[in-house]
Amino acid sequence: MRDVPTTAPVVVDAMGGDHGPAEIVRGAVQARREHGVPVVLTGRAGVVRAELARLGAVGEIDVAHADDVVPMTERGAGAVRMAHSSLAVGLGLVRDGAGAAFVSAGSTGAVAACATDRLGPAPAVLRPALAVALPTTAGGATVLIDAGATVDPTPEMLAQFALLGASYAQLVLGVADPRVGLLSIGAEPGKGNRLTRRAETLLRDLPLRFHGPVEGGDVLTGVADVIVTDGFTGNVVLKNVEGTVRATLALLATEVGTGAGAGVGAVDGAGAGAGVGAGVGTQDVAGPEALRRVAGRYDPETHGGAALLGLTGTVVVAHGSSRARTIARACVVAHDLARGEVVARLGDRLAVRPAR
Amino acid sequence: MRDVPTTAPVVVDAMGGDHGPAEIVRGAVQARREHGVPVVLTGRAGVVRAELARLGAVGEIDVAHADDVVPMTERGAGAVRMAHSSLAVGLGLVRDGAGAAFVSAGSTGAVAACATDRLGPAPAVLRPALAVALPTTAGGATVLIDAGATVDPTPEMLAQFALLGASYAQLVLGVADPRVGLLSIGAEPGKGNRLTRRAETLLRDLPLRFHGPVEGGDVLTGVADVIVTDGFTGNVVLKNVEGTVRATLALLATEVGTGAGAGVGAVDGAGAGAGVGAGVGTQDVAGPEALRRVAGRYDPETHGGAALLGLTGTVVVAHGSSRARTIARACVVAHDLARGEVVARLGDRLAVRPAR
């Protein structure tokens, strides 16, 4: 990782997201005032300064002007071609050492594509990976890595994702010795696909606490602090978690509305579902507030920061719907990751031997 | 598919499952008495006949004796080596044309491994696939295929899974012209991994209603009647749906218990989750009965039947926790699939041209 002074500011893309620049600027100001994180904003200078003025923060935070804005619908190559966007200008500051990390609430695909193009992989890192922290029923969080950056990794890349994910869990979640699970389809020898079978042999030899294979049902139980998978499966799982939480709450609303539990689909019986949900006492009821709080925990806005790890600079992608508080949180995470130098601290351990 | 008279019985493994043989035998008797499905039971003759006697059904249903029982913990190769198990005897009846289809509540891995070994792929079929119908928030069901039979398929295999899944949706769910989606990570050109990009070009040329790529968040929305994926991703998604429903209800129970919505994980904010769960009116509350009904819909017991398609015989795997009603339902599905001859009706369409 490049030699960046730990006091270098976090560069924040003021133009990304559904609520930018107003909420983004407010979040950046919060990060500086409440958490002591140095920040720089990139975007249309006039617009950004007007928002700063509204908060009495002109002169407190530097602004790097950028003519263009990458639309939220742009998810890849198109964004890379825009040389004067707030993304391009912000990532340029990080590449040149004027920024320690980059935060954007732009489209994850666009941010990942631009960052990979402009920053490139850190020394010894084969490919970047996206890390997302998901809250668990155990009360903590599990880092899912890779959630979508590298869709066809080799076993060696997967082994590096495990190391990067463990570093992230240490630095951001404060877990001293993270348990790392490999997402698969069963724990028996020979289970899994070609990729996971070869990755498993590599993971067993790495200097980390390898928990072994975990299954799709383990993602939210807290059985592991880090769950490693390829970027295709990880992205499908991440979106499946969000969609399933939403579906469960919608079905619950329907149940409340109709009182009917009619089975659907010809293979569907009318089982009692005994055991599941047994923690709810007979006198307890879940009101709309409780439903909303649970929805909020898995709403993409709430887990808030996905970190793109393994590049020559830290990149945190906040969800498009982020408001000020989530942006401030993302700035703190970016600052912590930059200071912790995720890649540099792994050193020689990144030199994963090729799989047999 | 072999030439089986449509009156050939469904062979039911009496020894599989957590509640067998009592619940299995009861389910088989229900299938015959209430749905007119001809059945044969395999397992330890003395035990099975005692259960039949309890229901006054001796002489009504034939029993094929099998000395051994495959333990529920056995998930693959070990089961294949047991030549005298109720699985082996039952699948032998189907292979020899004495049975139209096979139903077991044994371990999915064991049933799939034995069935693949003893029945082999149907003519023109490259590999079998496991189809599971999941209830959707739209009120219908979506067939997820492959849910775990073939973990490293080629694009051509994925194209065949699409055809098999569409047949299943027609025969079992009664959808005349099923919309088929390809599970991927975005709809833009170039999105997806190597497998899905190549499969997409094949699917566009097939004689079916191709909806295009769908994402992990679409699995329960009903946007497609069939969702095609490789057996690794499909198995992870299936288990992730179950785990996430369980986690959501557990978190809801916690919310109800404590009233606190404390965020977990350093990246976790305290967002409001606006929009999600908005269907719940302010005066509505979800009591424990509603929670249990929702849990029941995604409990593995309830979606009840996973069909292994593409072999020289129909195989339906009911969940291990199945009780009589689910077993009876699985017998009806198996009977419908056998009569519909999933593979035979596809005919020449199965000859998928190799991907470019």
Side-chain angles (χ1 to χ4, degrees):
Chain A
M1 180 161 275
R2 69 189 52 259
D3 189 20
V4 177
T6 56
T7 52
V10 171
V11 183
V12 181
D13 170 15
M15 310 309 284
D18 305 331
H19 306 295
E23 289 287 320
I24 311 284
V25 172
R26 215 152 62 83
V29 171
Q30 270 183 29
R32 181 180 168 83
R33 290 181 179 167
E34 296 172 21
H35 305 283
V37 175
V39 288
V40 169
L41 286 158
T42 59
R44 288 183 184 142
V47 176
V48 177
R49 289 223 173 83
E51 294 296 337
L52 284 171
R54 209 176 298 224
L55 302 162
V58 177
E60 196 178 328
I61 293 179
D62 284 342
V63 180
H65 175 72
D67 279 320
D68 298 332
V69 178
V70 174
M72 286 304 281
T73 50
E74 187 57 70
R75 290 176 68 171
V80 174
R81 285 191 295 268
M82 294 174 69
H84 305 288
S85 71
S86 56
L87 269 184
V89 170
L91 288 162
L93 290 175
V94 174
R95 184 192 53 218
D96 300 340
F102 183 65
V103 170
S104 177
S107 127
T108 305
V111 176
C114 284
T116 306
D117 178 68
R118 285 183 165 74
L119 299 180
V125 172
L126 299 165
R127 288 284 190 292
L130 199 64
V132 175
L134 291 167
T136 70
T137 50
T142 289
V143 177
L144 182 70
I145 184 168
D146 171 24
T150 301
V151 293
D152 282 306
T154 62
E156 293 77 14
M157 292 173 195
L158 228 54
Q160 288 195 338
F161 297 169
L163 293 163
L164 291 169
S167 265
Y168 180 91
Q170 287 172 333
L171 286 167
V172 177
L173 304 180
V175 181
D177 188 17
R179 293 154 303 162
V180 178
L182 174 66
L183 190 59
S184 189
I185 60 170
E188 301 80 5
K191 282 277 179 180
N193 60 10
R194 273 193 297 268
L195 175 65
T196 59
R197 284 195 300 266
R198 293 179 63 206
E200 190 178 337
T201 66
L202 291 178
L203 286 166
R204 293 204 181 280
D205 287 342
L206 287 184
L208 52 72
R209 192 170 159 200
F210 183 50
H211 172 82
V214 299
E215 301 190 47
D218 298 323
V219 173
L220 304 179
T221 60
V223 70
D225 301 299
V226 177
I227 293 183
V228 180
T229 187
D230 65 274
F232 181 86
T233 309
N235 189 272
V236 167
V237 164
L238 181 66
K239 290 172 180 163
N240 190 55
V241 164
E242 290 163 4
T244 304
V245 171
R246 202 171 289 125
T248 306
L249 298 174
L251 288 169
L252 208 48
T254 310
E255 288 289 341
V256 171
T258 66
V264 297
V267 196
D268 191 24
V276 185
V280 186
T282 46
Q283 76 282 40
D284 296 328
V285 289
E289 268 312 303
L291 290 183
R292 274 193 210 100
R293 279 196 300 270
V294 171
R297 293 185 71 172
Y298 289 98
D299 190 278
E301 158 140 24
T302 322
H303 55 67
L308 192 59
L309 305 178
L311 298 174
T312 57
T314 298
V315 177
V316 172
V317 192
H319 194 266
S321 62
S322 296
R323 297 203 177 260
R325 186 170 177 154
T326 311
I327 295 295
R329 187 74 224 147
C331 291
V332 172
V333 168
H335 191 56
D336 288 349
L337 286 170
R339 278 195 309 195
E341 292 182 329
V342 178
V343 175
R345 72 207 304 271
L346 288 169
D348 291 345
R349 287 191 288 160
L350 278 169
V352 174
R353 265 170 304 163
R356 281 151 278 176
Chain B
M1 181 164 274
R2 70 189 51 255
D3 189 20
V4 177
T6 56
T7 51
V10 171
V11 182
V12 181
D13 169 15
M15 310 309 284
D18 305 332
H19 306 296
E23 289 287 321
I24 312 283
V25 172
R26 215 151 62 80
V29 170
Q30 270 183 30
R32 182 180 167 85
R33 289 182 180 169
E34 296 173 21
H35 305 283
V37 175
V39 288
V40 169
L41 287 157
T42 58
R44 289 186 182 139
V47 176
V48 176
R49 290 224 172 85
E51 295 297 337
L52 284 171
R54 208 176 298 222
L55 302 162
V58 177
E60 195 178 329
I61 294 179
D62 284 341
V63 179
H65 176 73
D67 280 320
D68 298 331
V69 177
V70 174
M72 287 303 283
T73 49
E74 187 56 69
R75 292 176 65 169
V80 175
R81 285 191 295 268
M82 293 174 69
H84 305 288
S85 72
S86 56
L87 269 183
V89 171
L91 288 163
L93 291 174
V94 175
R95 185 192 54 217
D96 300 341
F102 183 65
V103 170
S104 175
S107 129
T108 305
V111 177
C114 283
T116 306
D117 178 67
R118 285 183 166 73
L119 300 180
V125 172
L126 299 165
R127 288 283 190 291
L130 198 65
V132 175
L134 291 167
T136 70
T137 51
T142 289
V143 177
L144 182 70
I145 186 170
D146 172 24
T150 301
V151 293
D152 282 306
T154 62
E156 292 77 15
M157 292 173 196
L158 227 54
Q160 287 196 338
F161 296 169
L163 292 163
L164 292 168
S167 265
Y168 181 91
Q170 286 171 336
L171 286 168
V172 177
L173 305 180
V175 181
D177 188 17
R179 293 154 303 161
V180 178
L182 173 66
L183 189 60
S184 188
I185 61 170
E188 301 81 3
K191 282 277 178 181
N193 60 10
R194 273 192 298 266
L195 175 66
T196 59
R197 283 195 300 267
R198 293 179 64 207
E200 190 178 336
T201 66
L202 291 179
L203 286 167
R204 293 204 180 281
D205 287 342
L206 287 185
L208 51 72
R209 192 170 160 199
F210 183 50
H211 171 84
V214 298
E215 302 190 46
D218 299 323
V219 173
L220 303 179
T221 61
V223 71
D225 302 300
V226 178
I227 293 183
V228 180
T229 188
D230 65 275
F232 181 86
T233 309
N235 188 273
V236 167
V237 164
L238 181 67
K239 290 174 182 164
N240 191 54
V241 164
E242 290 163 4
T244 304
V245 171
R246 202 170 288 126
T248 306
L249 298 174
L251 287 168
L252 209 49
T254 310
E255 289 289 341
V256 170
T258 65
V264 296
V267 196
D268 190 24
V276 185
V280 185
T282 46
Q283 76 281 41
D284 295 329
V285 287
E289 267 313 303
L291 291 184
R292 273 193 212 101
R293 277 197 300 270
V294 171
R297 292 184 72 170
Y298 289 99
D299 189 280
E301 159 141 24
T302 322
H303 56 67
L308 193 59
L309 305 177
L311 298 174
T312 57
T314 298
V315 177
V316 172
V317 191
H319 194 266
S321 62
S322 295
R323 296 204 178 261
R325 187 169 177 154
T326 311
I327 296 294
R329 186 75 223 146
C331 291
V332 173
V333 168
H335 191 56
D336 289 348
L337 286 170
R339 277 196 308 197
E341 292 182 329
V342 179
V343 175
R345 72 206 305 268
L346 288 169
D348 290 346
R349 289 191 287 160
L350 277 169
V352 174
R353 264 171 303 165
R356 280 151 280 179

